[in-house]
Amino acid sequence: MPRTPSRRLFAAALLVASVLAPMAATPATAVHAMGVDRYDKDNCPPDGLGPELTARLDNAIERVRRQAGIPGVVVGLWMPGKGSYVRATGVADTATRRPMTTDLFMRIGSETKTFTVTALLKLVDDRRIRLDDPIAAYIDGVPDGDRITLRHLAEMRSGLFPYSADPDFAHDLLSDPSRSFTPQEVLAYGFKHTNTFAPGENFQYSNSNLVLLGLVIEKVSGLGVADFIHKRVLRPAHLRHTLFPADAEFPEPHAHGYTNQTLSGAIEDSTDWNPSWAWTAGAMISDLRDLRRWAEIVATGTLLRPETQRERLKTLPTGFPGTSYGLGIFETGGWIGHNGSIPGYESVTVYLPSQKATLVLLLNTDVSHKGQEPSTLLARAITGIVTPDNVYDGAVPPR
């Protein structure tokens, strides 16, 4: 797919120096003291993977980082009964050369979808909505809304044109990345297009789906979606460093993000761009510690009734080999979770039930390398070493 801004960043139909010149090596930093809770008392000792495996991971991560031009990356891998690997390598700021560290807040892009759908499923558990309700029962003006269900939206099978694939939207956002968009404004870019297929007929990754689900959450709960997610998802999950930001809010400390999703195609610092356009599809912020906890919670359904979690994990083919998609969650190579991408940042948070293993990646660039997401390149390299029978071999492009 050509890497022009309006087609790469916003073509949601196809998932997922002051510039990023080759950089001097920055030693990987191991951090083992991340506070005290049950996760620090588990059987994932910091040095348990052994020096040989640790060195292989160090070398593989640094090789991918250099080849793909990734300024900085945070890696967390926890394998019960074997050990853990927590590293930050590269830089958090290409101007000051400040090293990347494991305690930074990062934008997590489409991983937001796991929080939004969990919030929606809490309303299912409350028996206030049903997955097979039509979106027209809650929101007016949705094309074919009487046939598109909440389930279709959560599993990316609505057929609604992705607003982020609209050229006018791309131009308007990139002309003023500080602009604040409302959900209704972004949806309008998509609704002017004909639906791409009949509901349930196919898979197409579309941010329009998740923005609509955010509006459903607000209408049914009577709360702003940020408040509802905080009250019903973040607080019960004990996620103290995860938030739904107001406009360009970005807590310190955080890494600077770098993107080439610009009008000129040149790489720019996108740290303070306003993510309001992504709203419940991709605006959230988190950190390594919280995402480690969240990976297991979302994959095992800790916050939901068992029957609701079973509905969530009914994954269907995506058209991307080896990857299937459920309700705001994917499975690839046995790993369950989601990836994320927003200008300047990428992430992966996945859980492997067969080994109770967790992998979290946080990057401060979304510039692809030879047509592939940098986060996918890293996840594939890491899992190829530690879980060769369960390789993360690509996920839905999180656009």
Side-chain angles (χ1 to χ4, degrees):
M1 180 175 180
R3 289 173 49 75
T4 57
S6 62
R7 293 189 65 188
R8 186 174 75 84
L9 164 60
F10 306 105
L14 292 178
L15 285 193
V16 230
S18 59
V19 300
L20 302 183
M23 297 175 286
T26 302
T29 303
V31 177
H32 307 315
M34 298 178 67
V36 178
D37 63 16
R38 82 170 184 86
Y39 287 97
D40 300 312
K41 298 176 182 179
D42 59 20
N43 58 343
C44 297
D47 300 316
L49 296 180
E52 181 180 352
L53 189 56
T54 297
R56 288 180 63 196
L57 288 169
D58 285 343
N59 292 336
I61 291 165
E62 190 62 17
R63 180 179 66 253
V64 172
R65 189 181 75 82
R66 287 176 162 278
Q67 289 175 348
I70 302 167
V73 59
V74 177
V75 179
L77 172 69
W78 296 270
M79 304 185 71
K82 297 180 180 179
S84 62
Y85 177 94
V86 178
R87 294 286 192 276
T89 183
V91 297
D93 186 330
T94 62
T96 65
R97 314 301 297 171
R98 174 167 57 95
M100 185 70 92
T101 57
T102 61
D103 61 345
L104 300 178
F105 287 96
M106 300 282 273
R107 299 195 188 279
I108 60 172
S110 285
E111 287 196 38
T112 301
K113 293 174 173 67
T114 62
F115 294 94
T116 300
V117 173
T118 299
L120 184 84
L121 295 178
K122 295 293 287 185
L123 292 173
V124 172
D125 278 352
D126 294 344
R127 295 181 171 81
R128 301 182 69 182
I129 63 173
R130 295 175 300 176
L131 285 171
D132 295 316
D133 289 343
I135 185 62
Y138 304 96
I139 308 297
D140 294 330
V142 180
D144 210 12
D146 57 340
R147 298 176 60 212
I148 295 172
T149 66
L150 304 185
R151 186 190 301 273
H152 288 141
L153 296 168
E155 66 188 9
M156 301 294 181
R157 291 177 176 269
S158 70
L160 289 171
F161 187 89
Y163 70 82
S164 45
D166 177 71
D168 292 334
F169 170 75
H171 178 270
D172 292 348
L173 174 59
L174 296 182
S175 296
D176 182 11
S178 66
R179 174 179 171 177
S180 182
F181 287 86
T182 67
Q184 292 78 11
E185 285 173 339
V186 296
L187 287 171
Y189 288 101
F191 288 175
K192 67 184 183 182
H193 296 271
T194 302
N195 289 10
T196 56
F197 51 80
E201 186 177 272
N202 207 342
F203 174 90
Q204 181 184 38
Y205 196 87
S206 173
N207 287 331
S208 300
N209 296 328
L210 269 290
V211 170
L212 282 168
L213 292 181
L215 291 174
V216 171
I217 291 167
E218 290 196 330
K219 183 164 187 176
V220 174
S221 71
L223 297 174
V225 72
D227 291 335
F228 188 83
I229 288 175
H230 178 78
K231 178 181 179 181
R232 298 298 305 278
V233 180
L234 303 182
R235 188 183 296 166
H238 304 290
L239 304 182
R240 300 179 179 88
H241 296 92
T242 303
L243 68 148
F244 197 111
D247 293 330
E249 174 188 8
F250 203 166
E252 295 281 0
H254 58 251
H256 282 245
Y258 303 93
T259 187
N260 63 351
Q261 300 187 60
T262 59
L263 287 178
S264 67
I267 292 174
E268 295 181 10
D269 186 325
S270 57
T271 306
D272 296 320
W273 287 14
N274 190 335
S276 62
W277 64 271
W279 203 49
T280 47
M284 288 182 70
I285 292 167
S286 191
D287 70 356
L288 179 68
R289 181 192 181 95
D290 272 12
L291 292 176
R292 178 195 179 182
R293 181 190 294 272
W294 182 241
E296 182 177 352
I297 289 172
V298 73
T300 61
T302 303
L303 299 182
L304 302 172
R305 296 176 185 271
E307 57 269 28
T308 305
Q309 181 68 1
R310 284 194 292 271
E311 292 296 311
R312 176 175 215 157
L313 295 182
K314 289 180 179 177
T315 62
L316 297 169
T318 62
F320 297 89
T323 299
S324 56
Y325 203 88
L327 302 180
I329 199 166
F330 66 61
E331 185 276 328
T332 181
W335 293 89
I336 298 172
H338 218 287
N339 54 343
S341 185
I342 197 165
Y345 300 89
E346 286 202 346
S347 60
V348 172
T349 297
V350 287
Y351 181 78
L352 183 62
S354 63
Q355 298 192 36
K356 298 183 178 179
T358 298
L359 174 65
V360 177
L361 301 176
L362 296 166
L363 291 69
N364 61 344
T365 186
D366 66 314
V367 179
S368 62
H369 177 67
K370 296 182 178 180
Q372 296 196 65
E373 303 281 343
S375 57
T376 296
L377 295 173
L378 281 167
R380 184 181 299 136
I382 292 166
T383 56
I385 292 171
V386 297
T387 56
D389 294 330
N390 297 98
V391 176
Y392 181 108
D393 198 27
V396 287
R399 302 299 178 184

